[in-house]
Amino acid sequence: TKVPGQYIPVGQGFFVSTAVDAVLTGVATVMGGDIVFKNSQRVFKKETPANSVFMKSAKNKNENNQKIDESTNTRPIIRLMYDSPTGYHRQIVIGKVDNTSNHFDLGYDAPIADINKEDMYWTFDGAKFVIQGVPNFDDNQEFPLALIVNKTGLARIKIDALENINENISVYIKDKLLGKTHNITQNPFEIELGPGTYANRFAVTFKMQKLVDEDVAVAITEEMQMFDTGIQVLMNNTIGELQIKNNSAEEILNVALINSLGQIVKTWNSNLNIRTISLPVNTATGAYIVKIITKTSKTVKKISVE
């Protein structure tokens, strides 16, 4: 349940692999060399028995009361979790990193060290991985993954965590056998599978937040339960922008700003098919109505321009 941070405490260690898997030879070469540890790499940090500070990412102070500037990860990262039919769990990671490719990149991609009776891993260049660095999460990307099932039952793939991911990007599991895709940004992918290794059937794909039938069906169900459109409206007077967050599966077609006399002051009807919409508002102070039209509904919100 803990994620290691930047620092390795005394008494803990790490592995250094000095060879590339045989199947990957020719893709990259590991040259021998020394691993050098410097005293300047050490930092004084206290550890509490109840909750180790080494597992936190907050800023801390050293013995001279000087702040330690811990590096903040800004790379887009997706952590997927596989829950197998008999209770095995495997997390695999894919991240958008500059200077990487869709092939094996030494120092970025991590081959899987142990394979359980039921497991999941990335597959490319004839090898198996738990961590993969890629150049982008574009719509045309497709990253194969393999599932191992030991006993017939329900296999589940879900998002364990999203870090620095553009909210306009949705993550999908593609079932090549059935020719279907499932949006796991909203709900886990679940499928009944028999024993075997499914090496070429499933893949991870992406879509910019264009609305699809599957999303609409989910959103309609949620709206019936919550009696809410899932569209949030905020007037950010600090920067003079009308900010709309579309948490529904409805595509917004038109936004209108209406004054207290019922007059339309401004309308927008393009570039609205994204999750977060920012619209500049240059008008007199006062109360206004924001009218949002989608394919199947209308949303009306009251705002105040200051």
Side-chain angles (χ1 to χ4, degrees):
T1 57
K2 293 183 177 181
V3 178
Q6 179 180 356
Y7 299 104
I8 301 172
V10 174
Q12 292 188 15
F14 57 91
F15 293 95
V16 177
S17 177
T18 59
V20 180
D21 286 0
V23 70
L24 293 172
T25 55
V27 178
T29 302
V30 177
M31 304 300 295
D34 295 333
I35 299 175
V36 180
F37 296 96
K38 301 176 182 179
N39 196 54
S40 61
Q41 295 171 323
R42 301 175 67 204
V43 176
F44 177 79
K45 296 175 72 70
K46 292 182 179 180
E47 183 177 11
T48 59
N51 192 5
S52 170
V53 297
F54 297 105
M55 304 302 287
K56 292 184 177 180
S57 59
K59 290 184 177 179
N60 295 279
K61 296 181 179 180
N62 65 9
E63 57 186 339
N64 296 321
N65 204 34
Q66 295 175 335
K67 283 191 175 182
I68 301 165
D69 188 14
E70 296 190 7
S71 59
T72 301
N73 177 43
T74 59
R75 294 170 176 168
I77 293 175
I78 300 170
R79 303 180 188 273
L80 298 182
M81 177 65 75
Y82 172 54
D83 299 322
S84 80
T86 59
Y88 283 86
H89 307 282
R90 167 71 74 178
Q91 185 189 78
I92 63 175
V93 178
I94 188 167
K96 179 181 177 293
V97 187
D98 293 338
N99 303 319
T100 62
S101 67
N102 285 353
H103 299 285
F104 177 68
D105 298 299
L106 188 63
Y108 296 99
D109 301 326
I112 191 169
D114 57 335
I115 298 179
N116 298 309
K117 290 182 179 179
E118 294 186 319
D119 221 323
M120 178 174 75
Y121 45 82
W122 303 110
T123 61
F124 58 92
D125 288 344
K128 305 166 184 175
F129 300 84
V130 288
I131 299 175
Q132 181 177 185
V134 297
N136 57 65
F137 292 148
D138 290 350
D139 290 8
N140 59 351
Q141 288 280 34
E142 184 173 303
F143 301 111
L145 52 82
L147 300 184
I148 300 177
V149 175
N150 187 54
K151 185 178 180 181
T152 299
L154 188 68
R156 179 186 293 110
I157 302 173
K158 62 184 180 182
I159 291 179
D160 214 23
L162 295 177
E163 301 174 21
N164 308 311
I165 297 296
N166 186 326
E167 61 182 4
N168 295 321
I169 295 178
S170 293
V171 186
Y172 287 76
I173 296 295
K174 180 178 181 180
D175 186 336
K176 298 179 183 179
L177 178 64
L178 300 180
K180 295 182 178 180
T181 58
H182 179 85
N183 188 345
I184 58 173
T185 307
Q186 297 181 343
N187 296 290
F189 171 71
E190 296 181 341
I191 187 170
E192 193 84 13
L193 294 174
T197 299
Y198 299 84
N200 302 305
R201 178 170 174 176
F202 302 103
V204 170
T205 61
F206 308 92
K207 290 182 182 178
M208 293 301 290
Q209 196 52 48
K210 265 300 217 184
L211 304 169
V212 296
D213 291 342
E214 177 187 23
D215 297 330
V216 173
V218 172
I220 290 174
T221 302
E222 292 176 350
E223 288 170 14
M224 290 176 64
Q225 294 172 346
M226 299 187 301
F227 300 97
D228 185 75
T229 62
I231 298 176
Q232 299 175 343
V233 178
L234 170 69
M235 181 60 209
N236 190 333
N237 287 292
T238 303
I239 58 176
E241 283 187 353
L242 175 63
Q243 298 175 340
I244 301 171
K245 188 169 185 179
N246 186 4
N247 294 318
S248 75
E250 292 275 0
E251 182 176 352
I252 296 176
L253 302 178
N254 179 271
V255 177
L257 186 65
I258 305 170
N259 64 19
S260 58
L261 299 176
Q263 300 168 329
I264 297 178
V265 178
K266 179 73 174 178
T267 60
W268 298 269
N269 52 27
S270 61
N271 300 320
L272 302 176
N273 60 334
I274 55 178
R275 281 290 186 209
T276 302
I277 303 167
S278 296
L279 304 172
V281 174
N282 299 308
T283 187
T285 60
Y288 291 83
I289 295 296
V290 177
K291 184 178 180 181
I292 301 172
I293 299 177
T294 69
K295 288 184 176 180
T296 61
S297 65
K298 296 179 182 179
T299 299
V300 176
K301 300 286 186 181
K302 184 177 181 180
I303 65 168
S304 177
V305 176
E306 299 174 359

